[in-house]
């Protein structure tokens, strides 16, 4: 996938997330409800007004037509001529309500009379209406007249009309009225536009209302999100201001109770952890005095071991070995305690990395088992003692668990120095790799009693991190590879209080899970 496609996908995903936000959904719901309500109300109002307007216009015209026809037909003689029918049509149409009349007499079917023969003729009358008007109904008590006034709405050349018709007497003429509904249609169009504008205003108002409502609803939610983020960042004193008694206020109270409970639990755990660290530090400190005396005695016993009884010599050598192991363990525990308390400090100096590695190898007589590829002139500001501990752990573990030859390679990048320590062993099992820097972790649980303390690599990692670097473990083509990366200049010291830094035991004796 190209960079352009990835950018387009991220943009599309971001836009989709915005469209799915709670604010957008609230506005959409409010707008949909308002639109539905406004359209429904406008539609109902339009149809009710339309029926009322049209019914009023047609009823007025038809009633006036009936009255005018009744008044003028009495002057019409029997067997009226065509001019007399035309006069009747004109007289009926002159009532003042602006409608036109067509009169048809069965005695003169050849000359239907019209008040406006240029526009309205018998051909404009729907056939269904003509048939209905000419058909008599049965006379009964409920229907005393055989002929009635019928009407029908019809469009003539695109203009709306109401067309009515009735037969005056059984043998008299038939009259049709044409009433234009153009004015009513204009009024209804005006009403429709007014309702459409009202619907649009309602939609805009609902969107503004939704915006205000969403702001009211989302403001507490946003504050809750910010408080949750601060709580996740470790600000355990974060609390929300509770206002009102609605569901959001209940949510704020629940958050405050959860934060208070979490604060109490963290404080309790921190206190217990501090007590544990203090206990380890105090215990290690108290053990140093008797261990010093024991170490002095074991040194003397070791010197005199060869002159002792052969039955006692193995026991003496075991005591010497275990005493030294206990001394190393105590020193390591004190060092771990200093790292946990944040009191470990750097005594930095600019040194040549190659010289520092050579010093580590020569001091432990490893020069026959280690192949060094370290060009001189790579200078870094480091704590030589702490870095010697790191090198001793990495090389010592490689010799113990990987076998010689151990290869140490040094190279410099732009702002850091990289030291790779590789061995010739079988490598590190995949399930062990994530845990090699864990404290007291050992890959072979069966050797947990006799092999080291399991603190060496964790102390090496802590020393690397205090320099601003890190150590990674992996498997190479042959054996395990530990890579130490250090900046050429260490980070500034922490602002926390610093304590006196005591000695660290012989790191070459540390055994870890490699």
């Amino acid at each position: 996938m190209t960079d352009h496609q990835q950018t387009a996908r991220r943009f599309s995903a971001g836009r989709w997330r915005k469209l799915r936000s709670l604010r957008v959904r609230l506005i959409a719901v409010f707008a949909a409800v308002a639109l539905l309500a406004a359209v429904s109300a406008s539609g109902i109002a339009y149809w009710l007004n339309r029926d009322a307007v049209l019914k009023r216009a047609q009823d007025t015209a038809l009633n006036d037509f009936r009255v005018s026809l009744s008044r003028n037909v009495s002057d019409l003689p029997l067997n009226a001529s065509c001019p007399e029918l035309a006069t009747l049509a004109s007289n009926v149409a002159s009532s003042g309500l602006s409608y036109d009349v067509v009169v048809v007499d069965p005695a003169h079917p050849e000359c239907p009379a019209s008040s406006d023969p240029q526009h309205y003729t018998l051909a404009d009358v729907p056939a269904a209406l003509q048939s209905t008007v000419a058909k008599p109904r049965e006379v009964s008590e409920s229907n005393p007249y055989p002929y009635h006034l019928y009407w029908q709405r019809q469009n003539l050349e695109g203009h709306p009309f109401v067309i009515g018709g009735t037969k005056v007497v059984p043998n008299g003429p038939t009259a049709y009225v044409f009433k234009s509904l153009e004015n009513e249609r204009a009024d209804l169009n005006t009403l429709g536009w007014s309702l459409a504008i009202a619907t649009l205003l309602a939609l805009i108002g609902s969107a503004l209302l939704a915006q205000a409502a969403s702001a009211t609803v989302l403001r507490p939610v946003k504050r809750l999100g910010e408080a949750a983020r601060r709580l996740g960042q470790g600000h355990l004193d974060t609390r929300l201001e509770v206002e009102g008694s609605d569901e959001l206020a209940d949510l704020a109270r629940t958050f405050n109770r959860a934060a208070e409970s979490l604060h109490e639990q963290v404080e309790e755990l921190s206190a217990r952890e501090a007590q544990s660290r203090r206990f380890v530090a105090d215990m290690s400190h108290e053990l140093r005095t008797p261990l010093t005396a024991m170490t002095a005695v074991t040194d003397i016993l070791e010197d005199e071991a060869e002159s002792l009884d052969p039955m006692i010599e193995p026991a003496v050598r075991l005591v010497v070995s275990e005493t030294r192991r206990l001394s190393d363990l105590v020193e390591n525990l004190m060092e771990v305690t200093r790292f946990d308390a944040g009191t470990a400090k750097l005594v930095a100096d600019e040194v040549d990395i190659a010289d520092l590695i050579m010093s580590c190898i020569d001091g432990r007589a490893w020069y026959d088992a280690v192949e060094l590829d370290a060009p001189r002139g790579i200078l870094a500001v480091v704590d030589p003692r702490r870095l010697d501990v790191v090198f001793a752990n990495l090389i010592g573990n490689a010799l113990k668990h990987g076998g010689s030859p151990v290869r140490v390679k040094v190279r410099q990048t732009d702002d850091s120095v990289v030291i790779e320590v590789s061995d010739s062993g079988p490598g590190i099992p995949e399930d062990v790799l994530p845990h090699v820097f864990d404290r007291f972790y050992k890959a072979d649980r069966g050797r947990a009693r006799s092999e080291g303390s399991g603190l060496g690599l964790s102390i090496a990692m802590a020393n690397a991190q205090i320099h601003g670097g890190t150590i990674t473990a992996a498997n190479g083509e042959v054996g395990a590879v530990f890579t130490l990366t250090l900046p050429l200049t260490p980070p500034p010291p922490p602002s926390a209080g610093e304590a006196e830094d005591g000695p660290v035991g012989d790191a070459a004796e540390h055994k870890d899970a490699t």
Side-chain angles (χ1 to χ4, degrees):
M1 183 179 294
T2 64
D3 293 341
H4 177 72
Q5 290 174 330
Q6 291 178 349
T7 303
R9 174 172 289 185
R10 287 195 295 268
F11 176 76
S12 178
R15 183 171 57 184
W16 178 245
R17 283 195 297 270
K18 289 181 180 179
L19 291 177
R20 294 183 62 187
S21 66
L22 183 58
R23 183 185 301 273
V24 174
R25 283 185 283 174
L26 280 175
I27 294 176
V29 170
F30 269 75
V33 172
L35 182 62
L36 179 62
V39 169
S40 300
S42 298
I44 293 173
Y46 179 81
W47 285 108
L48 291 176
N49 280 275
R50 177 179 181 276
D51 288 342
V53 169
L54 294 179
K55 189 174 186 303
R56 182 173 61 251
Q58 72 186 22
D59 288 350
T60 301
L62 293 175
N63 288 333
D64 186 82
F65 168 69
R66 178 187 293 109
V67 172
S68 180
L69 180 62
S70 299
R71 184 175 60 249
N72 289 284
V73 78
S74 59
D75 298 332
L76 184 67
L78 295 175
N79 298 321
S81 62
C82 289
E84 290 172 334
L85 293 175
T87 301
L88 175 63
S90 299
N91 291 337
V92 173
S94 62
S95 64
L97 291 184
S98 300
Y99 54 78
D100 292 280
V101 177
V102 174
V103 177
V104 180
D105 192 342
H108 301 283
E110 73 282 357
C111 58
S114 174
S115 60
D116 187 1
Q118 299 294 327
H119 297 94
Y120 307 101
T121 63
L122 184 61
D124 296 320
V125 180
L129 182 61
Q130 294 184 39
S131 174
T132 303
V133 169
K135 183 179 180 180
R137 297 174 60 183
E138 183 178 355
V139 178
S140 62
E141 291 182 1
S142 60
N143 181 39
Y145 303 106
Y147 297 98
H148 295 269
L149 177 61
Y150 298 96
W151 60 270
Q152 179 178 342
R153 291 174 190 163
Q154 183 79 18
N155 282 336
L156 299 179
E157 298 180 355
H159 299 284
F161 282 84
V162 57
I163 304 174
T166 183
K167 192 173 180 66
V168 179
V169 292
N171 296 322
T174 300
Y176 297 97
V177 60
F178 292 81
K179 171 60 179 174
S180 174
L181 299 177
E182 192 66 35
N183 292 335
E184 286 73 14
R185 182 168 72 173
D187 293 340
L188 291 175
N189 288 339
T190 302
L191 175 63
W193 278 107
S194 300
L195 293 175
I197 294 173
T199 300
L200 180 61
L201 293 177
L203 185 61
I204 297 174
S206 67
L208 296 177
L209 181 62
Q211 177 70 15
S214 64
T216 303
V217 173
L218 294 180
R219 190 179 298 112
V221 175
K222 184 178 180 181
R223 286 201 298 264
L224 178 61
E226 293 175 351
R229 282 191 292 272
R230 287 180 54 81
L231 191 66
Q233 293 169 355
H235 302 282
L236 300 181
D237 57 344
T238 302
R239 298 294 183 272
L240 288 173
E241 182 179 355
V242 180
E243 299 177 355
S245 58
D246 55 8
E247 290 80 359
L248 291 175
D250 292 338
L251 182 60
R253 294 189 188 93
T254 302
F255 175 85
N256 289 341
R257 287 194 293 268
E260 184 67 28
S261 176
L262 180 62
H263 193 187
E264 294 175 356
Q265 294 179 14
V266 170
E267 285 186 342
E268 181 180 357
L269 291 175
S270 299
R272 290 181 180 179
E273 184 181 2
Q275 290 176 358
S276 298
R277 288 199 301 266
R278 186 63 184 173
F279 171 76
V280 173
D282 292 344
M283 180 186 66
S284 302
H285 228 302
E286 293 299 325
L287 287 175
R288 292 184 70 179
T289 301
L291 278 175
T292 302
M294 292 172 62
T295 301
V297 173
T298 55
D299 289 342
I300 296 174
L301 290 175
E302 186 178 25
D303 292 339
E304 300 294 333
E306 295 181 357
S307 62
L308 295 176
D309 190 324
M311 299 294 293
I312 301 176
E313 181 184 358
V316 171
R317 294 192 181 277
L318 178 61
V319 170
V320 171
S321 174
E322 291 300 312
T323 301
R324 288 176 177 172
R325 183 171 178 270
L326 180 59
S327 178
D328 291 340
L329 177 60
V330 169
E331 296 295 341
N332 290 340
L333 288 175
M334 293 185 68
E335 182 74 351
V336 168
T337 303
R338 283 190 286 270
F339 280 119
D340 288 344
T343 58
K345 62 180 181 179
L346 288 176
V347 182
D349 191 12
E350 188 176 52
V351 298
D352 190 308
I353 298 297
D355 292 342
L356 192 58
I357 297 176
M358 285 297 301
S359 174
C360 174
I361 294 174
D362 292 341
R364 293 164 178 82
W366 289 340
Y367 41 80
D368 291 334
V370 178
E371 298 178 359
L372 179 61
D373 180 8
R376 293 183 179 275
I378 300 179
L379 302 178
V381 180
V382 297
D383 186 332
R385 183 185 61 82
R386 291 190 178 278
L387 206 55
D388 179 78
V389 171
V390 177
F391 293 149
N393 270 286
L394 297 181
I395 299 175
N397 274 280
L399 289 171
K400 285 184 179 180
H401 311 300
S404 59
V406 172
R407 292 167 293 278
V408 180
K409 182 179 180 181
V410 181
R411 56 187 173 88
Q412 181 179 353
T413 61
D414 293 337
D415 56 354
S416 61
V417 57
V418 179
I419 301 97
E420 294 182 356
V421 179
S422 58
D423 58 47
S424 302
I428 306 174
E430 294 296 330
D431 59 331
V432 176
L433 270 176
H435 306 286
V436 293
F437 297 105
D438 295 349
R439 295 175 183 175
F440 299 106
Y441 183 84
K442 299 177 183 180
D444 189 351
R445 295 297 179 181
R447 299 185 298 173
R449 170 65 185 89
S450 60
E451 300 283 347
S453 64
L455 289 174
L457 285 180
S458 64
I459 293 176
M461 174 63 83
N463 279 311
Q465 290 175 343
I466 201 174
H467 282 85
T470 186
I471 305 175
T472 59
N475 287 315
E477 296 181 0
V478 177
V481 178
F482 284 82
T483 303
L484 169 65
T485 304
L486 295 173
L488 297 177
T489 303
S495 58
E498 297 177 347
E500 181 182 358
D501 206 6
V504 181
D506 185 2
E509 295 296 323
H510 300 161
K511 167 142 184 344
D512 287 278
T514 53

